[in-house]
Amino acid sequence: MRLINFSQLRVFLWVMMVQTGAAIQLLAQDFYFKGNKSKDAISFALVKNLVIVPVYLNNHGPFNFILDTGVGPMIITDPKLIDSLGLRVSRTLEISGLGSGAKIDAFIANDVSVRVGNAWIDNMPTAILKQDIFGLSNYLGTKIYGLLGYHFFKSFVVQLNYSGKRMVFGHPWAFRKIKGERVPIEIENSKPYVNIDIETAEQGHLTVKTLMDNGASHAISLERLKEEPFPVPASSISANLGVGMSGPIAGNIGRVSSLTIGGFKLKGVLASYPRYDDVAAKVILKDRNGNLGADILSRFNITFDYADNSIYLRKNGQFNRPFEHDMSGIEVYLQEDKTRRYFVGRIEPGSPADLAGIKADDEIILINFSPAASFKLDDINNLFKSADGKTIILSIYRDKEIDVKVFKLKQRI
């Protein structure tokens, strides 16, 4: 899923595939190693807390895929791969998901072979979107072709070393002893769920059941409490929380006083409160309270062991980094052809950028007197949430004219 709100990044990808009322039938198969190999390791890229791995499809590639515990069947977001890989699509179905818009169409293919490192799977159940509705490449600053999830995690013990950007995966017997604190999880509908404890000013202590979604770059999203919308704290701000399969997700951003997973406690955690009709009302698993994302998970080096219904956590060097929301109000996206160009996708009403007169579709030419093209997208997003009161000077191009806009970052939550 594409996140449009850059401080909250990607909210979450949740997919319900329906064709005449029946869910897509998944083939019961696993990834495997050829020969006597039982373990492998590869490096990955980490962008906005998301793990991006090289994937080979039908012996072509590599293609950048987001490794996402929040998805079941593999999803190809770039429909151009149908022709370039010679894929045979068996049928079309409707995909309904989070967001306020309508359903979208997708193709189903069952003739896709997939390789990650030296691990293979044949005839991977795959949904191919007819349109790249997420625009992940523009909002992550690197070309993304899809998302890979459940079938990979259920096949192996998977260790994600966020600090070293390295993934080790293999058969359970290849791991003599797994380091870290064991935390039990439940696998339901091909997705992992974990119970965590939170403290809020209004609700006090709560134990909540959350989808463990490393493909969502927020910290935590709180959706439902006792079959009602999760109460939004008084000290929150309205925000665009992202885009789901069915369109934009509106809501609020606030904080929880603390969040505890296993024996680890984090304080002042940013929390999203999506509008009930956009998210909670559409979730099949009604006893879940929310979604635990990668702004939490990336603070650990994590081992996933689906077969044992467990994860193992070791905090890394990012554990104590502060939880900060965007302080500019600017959502930036990359348009890259022969040159790297940055544009304003959206402005938060009442934000510093809005008050400075910056508008959607403005092209950013200079950032603090340095060419915008010299920045990575992550660098820009980190700058815009770097320090309350920091002065930002942007040269923007609009209507064939260049203008200079100056504003100060403001911590709004």
Side-chain angles (χ1 to χ4, degrees):
M1 177 177 58
R2 182 188 95 192
L3 258 207
I4 315 187
N5 186 310
F6 275 68
S7 58
Q8 198 62 9
L9 305 179
R10 175 191 176 275
V11 178
F12 36 69
L13 178 64
W14 171 84
V15 184
M16 179 178 67
M17 297 185 179
V18 179
Q19 184 180 31
T20 63
I24 180 174
Q25 185 174 0
L26 303 181
L27 303 179
Q29 58 178 322
D30 293 332
F31 277 85
Y32 63 90
F33 293 115
K34 293 183 178 180
N36 296 322
K37 197 174 186 67
S38 61
K39 193 176 183 180
D40 197 9
I42 63 171
S43 298
F44 61 79
L46 190 64
V47 181
K48 297 179 184 174
N49 300 323
L50 304 183
V51 174
I52 300 173
V53 296
V55 173
Y56 291 82
L57 305 175
N58 289 0
N59 295 314
H60 292 79
F63 302 100
N64 288 333
F65 271 64
I66 295 172
L67 190 66
D68 189 345
T69 55
V71 300
M74 186 172 74
I75 297 174
I76 292 177
T77 56
D78 187 346
K80 295 178 183 177
L81 290 186
I82 295 175
D83 292 332
S84 62
L85 297 179
L87 301 180
R88 298 190 303 272
V89 294
S90 59
R91 61 191 186 279
T92 301
L93 50 73
E94 287 184 326
I95 298 179
S96 173
L98 306 183
S100 59
K103 297 177 180 179
I104 64 169
D105 291 329
F107 299 108
I108 293 301
N110 289 306
D111 63 336
V112 184
S113 69
V114 180
R115 177 170 71 85
V116 179
N118 289 299
W120 298 74
I121 188 170
D122 305 311
N123 303 317
M124 168 73 95
T126 303
I128 307 169
L129 303 186
K130 284 189 175 182
Q131 293 181 321
D132 184 3
I133 61 170
F134 299 138
L136 288 170
S137 302
N138 294 52
Y139 285 86
L140 292 180
T142 187
K143 180 63 178 176
I144 301 295
Y145 290 89
L147 306 103
L148 176 68
Y150 173 69
H151 283 273
F152 186 78
F153 283 97
K154 85 180 183 74
S155 301
F156 301 120
V157 171
V158 179
Q159 294 182 334
L160 292 181
N161 186 321
Y162 278 94
S163 54
K165 300 178 184 178
R166 189 160 179 82
M167 177 172 70
V168 179
F169 52 98
H171 298 300
W173 60 82
F175 296 84
R176 292 184 179 179
K177 184 179 180 180
I178 301 176
K179 296 181 180 179
E181 179 181 333
R182 182 183 183 275
V183 177
I185 62 173
E186 299 176 63
I187 307 297
E188 300 182 51
N189 295 325
S190 305
K191 299 176 180 66
Y193 291 82
V194 63
N195 289 329
I196 62 173
D197 294 321
I198 60 173
E199 290 277 351
T200 73
E202 290 85 358
Q203 307 299 320
H205 174 267
L206 294 171
T207 297
V208 293
K209 180 177 182 178
T210 60
L211 170 64
M212 191 176 187
D213 188 355
N214 78 319
S217 52
H218 61 244
I220 187 170
S221 174
L222 296 170
E223 307 154 3
R224 175 193 287 111
L225 183 65
K226 298 178 181 178
E227 300 306 318
E228 298 289 337
F230 203 102
V232 177
S235 55
S236 66
I237 60 173
S238 298
N240 171 35
L241 302 181
V243 170
M245 278 287 187
S246 294
I249 298 172
N252 292 71
I253 294 177
R255 291 185 185 269
V256 296
S257 303
S258 68
L259 182 153
T260 303
I261 178 169
F264 302 97
K265 177 178 281 191
L266 295 148
K267 295 183 178 180
V269 178
L270 283 171
S272 301
Y273 299 85
R275 191 169 65 186
Y276 187 84
D277 289 343
D278 286 356
V279 176
K282 296 184 177 183
V283 174
I284 295 176
L285 194 64
K286 297 301 182 184
D287 64 340
R288 100 176 197 185
N289 302 104
N291 177 293
L292 186 70
D295 196 17
I296 296 291
L297 302 179
S298 62
R299 296 162 191 265
F300 301 91
N301 292 336
I302 307 177
T303 300
F304 295 86
D305 189 352
Y306 278 23
D308 187 47
N309 291 306
S310 59
I311 58 171
Y312 294 81
L313 301 177
R314 287 187 296 156
K315 65 180 180 180
N316 60 36
Q318 295 297 309
F319 184 80
N320 291 317
R321 75 173 184 260
F323 292 90
E324 291 294 0
H325 182 57
D326 166 71
M327 300 182 196
S328 70
I330 302 177
E331 174 188 273
V332 182
Y333 70 90
L334 169 67
Q335 183 174 301
E336 192 168 24
D337 187 8
K338 294 181 180 180
T339 59
R340 179 184 294 261
R341 301 171 66 188
Y342 291 105
F343 293 85
V344 176
R346 185 177 179 275
I347 293 290
E348 289 285 348
S351 67
D354 182 36
L355 297 177
I358 299 172
K359 298 181 179 180
D361 300 323
D362 285 348
E363 181 176 359
I364 301 173
I365 306 297
L366 298 175
I367 302 174
N368 290 344
F369 305 109
S370 295
S374 67
F375 291 81
K376 293 181 180 179
L377 187 55
D378 251 4
D379 296 334
I380 297 175
N381 292 319
N382 289 333
L383 175 65
F384 286 169
K385 60 179 181 180
S386 58
D388 186 43
K390 184 180 182 69
T391 299
I392 302 294
I393 304 172
L394 298 183
S395 295
I396 58 100
Y397 182 73
R398 181 199 305 162
D399 296 332
K400 299 181 180 181
E401 294 184 358
I402 293 178
D403 197 2
V404 177
K405 302 292 185 181
V406 182
F407 60 90
K408 292 183 181 294
L409 300 180
K410 182 179 180 181
Q411 189 178 52
R412 295 178 290 150
I413 185 64

